[in-house]
Amino acid sequence: MELSKCELLKKISEYQFICVELNLYIDTHPCDEAALRDYLVYSQELTELIAEYEQRFEPLMNFGHSPTSAGSYVCSQWPWEI
């Protein structure tokens, strides 16, 4: 079952939060291999979620990270229009 646009954005936001928190934890606990494994799993899933969102809807970022046509971000739906 495919997630709706809002559900997919929420899931991306959740995974971004998890990755940031794990990254901060790993900075202070570099020998915690379980945390590093978790970070790698969540960051891979985040990459896949972003790719799915961009394939189905529009780019998430305006430059540098989305493999879509330059400038197409401006033509897509704005966050407050969702």
Side-chain angles (χ1 to χ4, degrees):
M1 183 170 109
E2 287 188 345
L3 297 173
S4 72
K5 185 175 185 176
C6 287
E7 291 170 332
L8 195 50
L9 278 173
K10 183 177 183 216
K11 194 162 188 108
I12 288 169
S13 179
E14 290 169 355
Y15 276 66
Q16 286 174 328
F17 177 81
I18 292 167
C19 287
V20 167
E21 291 299 311
L22 281 169
N23 189 29
L24 290 171
Y25 177 80
I26 292 167
D27 283 347
T28 59
H29 299 82
C31 296
D32 189 337
E33 300 218 1
L36 182 57
R37 278 192 307 272
D38 287 344
Y39 175 79
L40 294 173
V41 168
Y42 281 107
S43 63
Q44 178 61 40
E45 181 66 23
L46 175 59
T47 300
E48 292 170 11
L49 288 168
I50 291 171
E52 178 184 348
Y53 180 89
E54 290 184 339
Q55 178 187 12
R56 291 179 50 205
F57 302 110
E58 66 258 344
L60 280 174
M61 299 176 196
N62 61 348
F63 64 91
H65 301 286
S66 300
T68 56
S69 300
S72 65
Y73 185 83
V74 177
C75 300
S76 63
Q77 197 174 29
W78 291 89
W80 54 86
E81 297 175 328
I82 295 175

